[in-house]
Amino acid sequence: LMDPATAFWLTMQEDPNQVEDVKSALKLQDRQLVLCPINDSSNCSRADAGTHWTLLVCWSQNGGAAGLTTSSLPQFTHFYHYDSLLGGSWASGGANLTQARTLASRLAGRDVQVLPDDCPKQTNCFDCGIYVLLFSEIIVSAFLEAPHFRGSVTQDLPHKSKTSQSFVDTHYWLSCSLPLWKSRVASVTPMEVSARRVRYFETFSAADVAPHSSTLQGSQKTCMYKLDRAHQQLQYQQ
């Protein structure tokens, strides 16, 4: 998960040498999946600006960029954009989609196509950040649930009785270029988002981190998400 401030900096930075330095430090050539929170702000002089959050997902169908040198370009093959205001509409997408396209092209080192993917529409004017967090959890979970399929795909489809449906779905995902998380993201409900908002607030309260604004801003969201995912990964490994 890319820090929102880093994603914003890479989007706004015009110096290609500085962009390449940061990409190298992030070791993008070793990543198979990168999630980037996107904000609609273009004001570099003000922190916590903007009014809407969306999610850019960069992933590699062919198992990543194994074997590339640190100076090589990351080999992401797919770029999806999730916007809870548009719900996957192919409309212009506004500032967020523009920012996502700029960032995706800079991460890839070439012009790329960013596809708006299906996702639910928010029912209020303040839950966009919660949708981004929940989409991120779903996508990371789908990725972690099939660790031994993040390389080459075998020719024979495994027999369903020997494996879980996730196993079969993952083979289909890799071979047909469809993200495994697609149907799960599209099935998110407003009730689920509201429950997540309560859970996040309780997490902050338990950590004695009481937000003083009406919304949880970017750095707080990222901190909470990383802590939550670290806990879930520990449970997964056990």
Side-chain angles (χ1 to χ4, degrees), residues 202-219:
E202 291 175 346
T203 300
F204 274 108
S205 299
D208 198 27
V209 180
H212 297 291
S213 63
S214 59
T215 60
L216 303 179
Q217 296 299 332
S219 60

Side-chain angles (χ1 to χ4, degrees), residues 7-24:
F8 180 75
W9 185 91
L10 284 169
T11 304
M12 295 293 106
Q13 180 56 246
E14 297 294 340
D15 187 333
N17 292 325
Q18 291 196 42
V19 170
E20 290 304 315
D21 286 345
V22 171
K23 286 166 56 178
S24 178

Side-chain angles (χ1 to χ4, degrees), residues 107-186:
L107 294 180
R110 64 189 189 281
D111 290 335
V112 297
Q113 184 179 22
V114 177
L115 302 177
D117 203 12
D118 292 334
C119 65
K121 289 186 178 182
Q122 62 191 79
T123 56
N124 54 41
C125 61
F126 52 81
D127 266 341
C128 58
I130 307 300
Y131 276 89
V132 167
L133 290 176
L134 183 51
F135 292 164
S136 297
E137 288 191 36
I138 291 170
I139 292 167
V140 170
S141 294
F143 188 78
L144 291 176
E145 284 172 4
H148 46 306
F149 284 97
R150 297 196 297 269
S152 60
V153 181
T154 58
Q155 295 299 318
D156 298 324
L157 182 65
H159 193 280
K160 187 172 180 179
S161 63
K162 296 181 181 179
T163 61
S164 66
Q165 184 62 45
S166 176
F167 187 102
V168 177
D169 287 346
T170 304
H171 181 97
Y172 181 74
W173 162 43
L174 289 175
S175 61
C176 299
S177 304
L178 293 175
L180 177 63
W181 56 81
K182 186 177 180 69
S183 60
R184 176 66 184 92
V185 166

